[in-house]
Amino acid sequence: MSTTTELAELHELIGNLRRCVTSLRARYGDAPAMRRIVNDAERMLNDIDRLDIDAAELEMRGTPAHPRPTEKVTIPDTDYASDFWQGVDDEGLGGSR
């Protein structure tokens, strides 16, 4: 199934959610539990809107947003010069070097 089809199905389900919440709200009114349900549904709808924005931004290609670097950087195993760490706190041990 393509991403476009999946998003269309998701929007159909969201439409069903809206109808159900509207029906429940008409039945139970403005009770605290109903307000929580409405708030939860609104959060889900907002998340779906963000999903649409992200899918459009990625052009629904399924490719990573950050391509892997083509050049490898070699990091030497030798110690750094002692003045490199001067004045830096080593938070892992609680002291300074």
Side-chain angles (χ1 to χ4, degrees):
M1 188 182 324
S2 73
T3 304
T4 304
T5 304
E6 291 164 341
L7 287 174
E9 182 181 351
L10 182 60
H11 282 282
E12 183 179 335
L13 293 170
I14 290 299
N16 291 339
L17 174 65
R18 285 179 199 255
R19 285 187 288 282
C20 289
V21 169
T22 301
S23 175
L24 288 169
R25 189 181 225 175
R27 182 174 181 180
Y28 294 105
D30 195 34
M34 194 63 237
R35 285 194 301 265
R36 286 191 297 271
I37 291 171
V38 169
N39 287 338
D40 290 343
E42 287 300 320
R43 273 194 299 270
M44 285 187 273
L45 296 172
N46 288 336
D47 288 342
I48 297 305
D49 288 342
R50 283 190 214 119
L51 176 68
D52 285 339
I53 292 167
D54 291 342
E57 185 178 316
L58 294 174
E59 299 175 346
M60 298 170 61
R61 291 179 288 185
T63 58
H66 303 287
R68 292 185 177 170
T70 56
E71 180 182 333
K72 291 187 179 185
V73 177
T74 304
I75 300 174
D77 288 336
T78 59
D79 290 333
Y80 290 101
S82 61
D83 62 339
F84 179 81
W85 297 107
Q86 188 173 8
V88 176
D89 287 336
D90 188 343
E91 294 181 14
L93 300 175
S96 63
R97 291 182 178 212

